Amino acid sequence: MQTSTAQTGTRPTRTQVAIIGAGPAGLLLGRLLERRGIDTVILERRSPDYVLSRIRAGVIEPGAVELLEKAGVAERLHKEGLIHDGTELMFDGDRLRIDFAALTGRSVTVYGQTEVTRDLMDARADSGAVSIYEAEDVSLHDFETDRPKVRYVQDGVTHEIACDVIAGCDGFHGVARASLPDSALKTFERVYPFGWLGILTDRPPVAEELIYAHHARGFALCSMRSPTRSRYYVQVASDERVEDWSDDRFWDELRQRLDPETAERLQTGPSIEKSIAPLRSFVAEPLRFGRLFLAGDAAHIVPPTGAKGLNLAASDVGYLADALLEFFLDRSSAGLDAYSARALARIWKAERFSWWMTSLLHVFPETDTFGRRIQRAEFDYLAGSPAAQRVLAENYVGLPM
Ligand code: RFL
Ligand code: PHB
């Protein structure tokens, strides 16, 4: 992999858009702007290898694929990505297939976030656009004026970049949202009392499509990265530690949460990655403060059950790139003025869907027998109602941009 850092050549002292964070949101925004001649600098706290080592999303909506095409980085995705026309839901071993293609005419692509990130990093390196990795103590200044600046430290030296606009694409724990005064933001949050323990293994997936399973022992998900690499998750309590989960314990638990036929077919192997992700719903409003704009996980979090996080990051930066192009090329602020409301309208619908999928499929510690019967009734209703299936399918493949 190639990366471009400011350690070679001159360090920039000015750019049009300073982008904080080299996750999918920051890299895609940079690419959409750079292709139209807008100068950007990306500041990333971690190394490229570290960014690429985080195993996260796997399902890409057709709308996000279109944005990656627009960014000129979808060639490998089309070659290696797996087209999924449907997914399977399971409730206490009973199975229901949701046929996206028949219900919506659309499909999703299974292609790892790591690969999307790698494709974007490579394209950026080829273009010569500047990315400064391992930038420490990034700080944002004067974004309430039209002359914002960002500062960062590298090798003990502080550097400053003047810019027209700052894009905060630095994830949930980033510095951009944290730079805003409390009074500037309204936040909405739900923390779920469980997390997902995930395993990556070089074994063929247990089924051709994803399986989302509700079981009395907790939720389980069978996913994949390729025909030879699988990704599995089980719901665990929030205080579980990954050290306490041997591979054998994980496989035993997963098998118990699947129907006997699927459990029998499961090919287990050594884990090549194992981690626990907490589950949270979160939205900060608005997404703009002067010349600072928030996008992706910096502005909102969804529980992964609906496979929406990366896709929302992509739609945010799709809107933001259009608004910035209007600003720089047409000298109009109308798009920037509309950005927050436009993005939030889509974000809240994805928040709703992700919350709903999470509520249906997980075991909530406080849920009584009434609550479980309601979950079962919801599953049975879905099974019997093409209309309900269509609602699920059109949200899963992604609402229109
Ligand atoms: P990221 O990917 O967190 O990138 C932010 C970047 O900012 C850097 N950074 C800083 N840089 C400079 N200075 C600072 N002070 C900084 N602080 C942070 C970080 O190092 C990082 O490189 O946010 P972005 O770009 O908004 O992208 C969001 C997605 O990563 C996220 O929403 C998805 O991974 C969520 N997600 C899924 N989304 C989907 O659309 N489909 C899925 O199937 C899916 N599955 C998942 C998921 C997330 C998961 N976890 C681990 C939370 C499955 C899991 C298990
Ligand atoms: C994944 O493959 O990592 C994955 C797939 C679907 C989800 C969440 C994660 O809903």
Side-chain angles (χ1 to χ4, degrees):
M1 214 232 18
Q2 317 154 50
T3 50
S4 146
T5 73
Q7 288 142 25
T8 57
T10 327
R11 278 181 191 278
T13 54
R14 159 135 203 105
T15 186
Q16 287 173 292
V17 183
I19 299 173
I20 319 297
L27 288 164
L28 179 58
L29 179 65
R31 183 75 186 157
L32 291 169
L33 295 176
E34 169 220 314
R35 291 201 110 199
R36 300 291 304 278
I38 306 301
D39 189 63
T40 63
V41 172
I42 294 185
L43 291 175
E44 164 61 50
R45 180 168 62 169
R46 305 288 193 171
S47 69
D49 285 345
Y50 184 94
V51 171
L52 289 172
S53 71
R54 294 186 295 226
I55 306 297
R56 289 181 170 181
V59 176
I60 321 271
E61 295 172 3
V65 170
E66 278 166 33
L67 279 170
L68 293 168
E69 284 165 352
K70 198 165 161 190
V73 292
E75 202 179 307
R76 202 161 63 92
L77 175 145
H78 284 307
K79 216 181 296 161
E80 297 174 18
L82 309 171
I83 304 289
H84 282 206
D85 291 335
T87 192
E88 192 131 30
L89 301 189
M90 200 182 273
F91 202 104
D92 291 341
D94 295 336
R95 302 168 71 153
L96 165 65
R97 178 166 187 265
I98 306 291
D99 189 333
F100 306 144
L103 293 159
T104 69
R106 312 179 86 196
S107 306
V108 295
T109 304
V110 172
Y111 187 68
Q113 176 168 333
T114 308
E115 305 312 317
V116 172
T117 307
R118 193 189 307 278
D119 295 340
L120 285 162
M121 278 182 176
D122 286 350
R124 188 167 176 92
D126 286 343
S127 76
V130 179
S131 312
I132 300 165
Y133 285 92
E134 300 183 84
E136 294 161 39
D137 297 331
V138 172
S139 59
L140 286 55
H141 305 272
D142 303 334
F143 45 79
E144 64 285 10
T145 75
D146 55 11
R147 289 192 171 74
K149 305 176 190 64
V150 292
R151 292 197 192 113
Y152 65 99
V153 175
Q154 210 163 41
D155 302 326
V157 182
T158 301
H159 304 275
E160 183 174 286
I161 304 175
C163 56
D164 297 308
V165 168
I166 304 175
C169 301
D170 50 349
F172 185 64
H173 299 288
V175 66
R177 196 181 70 253
S179 304
L180 292 169
D182 284 347
S183 60
L185 286 179
K186 214 168 168 161
T187 59
F188 305 83
E189 185 169 40
R190 173 152 306 180
V191 178
Y192 300 89
F194 41 74
W196 281 15
L197 168 65
I199 266 194
L200 191 67
T201 186
D202 275 324
R203 288 289 182 277
V206 69
E208 280 191 10
E209 294 179 341
L210 271 61
I211 302 173
Y212 289 85
H214 176 113
H215 187 273
R217 295 182 65 86
F219 169 77
L221 171 60
C222 307
S223 183
M224 65 195 72
R225 290 292 175 273
S226 75
T228 56
R229 182 170 283 187
S230 305
R231 178 76 166 155
Y232 295 101
Y233 298 95
V234 293
Q235 172 188 350
V236 293
S238 302
D239 57 1
E240 285 286 346
R241 295 168 345 138
V242 73
E243 302 78 58
D244 295 331
W245 283 85
S246 65
D247 289 357
D248 284 345
R249 182 176 174 206
F250 180 92
W251 295 122
D252 284 346
E253 188 59 46
L254 176 62
R255 262 192 225 99
Q256 291 187 67
R257 297 184 188 189
L258 302 173
D259 66 308
E261 190 210 318
T262 309
E264 178 71 29
R265 243 191 0 248
L266 182 71
Q267 293 192 41
T268 62
S271 61
I272 50 179
E273 195 267 356
K274 200 191 291 165
S275 53
I276 294 182
L279 262 65
R280 180 194 305 270
S281 297
F282 174 85
V283 182
E285 296 182 352
L287 308 183
R288 175 196 191 165
F289 192 84
R291 289 286 182 93
L292 169 61
F293 296 84
L294 301 177
D297 278 13
H300 44 77
I301 293 288
V302 284
T305 330
K308 287 283 158 268
L310 168 62
N311 292 300
L312 267 189
S315 59
D316 286 359
V317 300
Y319 295 140
L320 186 55
D322 285 348
L324 288 168
L325 291 171
E326 216 178 293
F327 179 70
F328 288 111
L329 303 179
D330 305 336
R331 306 259 153 233
S332 162
S333 301
L336 288 181
D337 293 341
Y339 166 69
S340 181
R342 207 175 157 208
L344 281 165
R346 193 169 190 279
I347 289 162
W348 273 110
K349 290 180 198 136
E351 289 283 345
R352 185 206 68 81
F353 176 66
S354 304
W355 161 84
W356 177 79
M357 283 280 277
T358 303
S359 308
L360 170 66
L361 293 168
H362 291 75
V363 173
F364 287 72
E366 72 275 20
T367 298
D368 53 9
T369 49
F370 176 82
R372 285 218 68 227
R373 282 286 202 278
I374 292 289
Q375 288 175 313
R376 177 75 215 193
E378 181 97 47
F379 178 82
D380 290 344
Y381 174 61
L382 260 177
S385 165
Q389 290 177 25
R390 181 149 178 247
V391 171
L392 194 163
E394 75 182 14
N395 279 278
Y396 195 92
V397 301
L399 296 174
M401 301 246 172

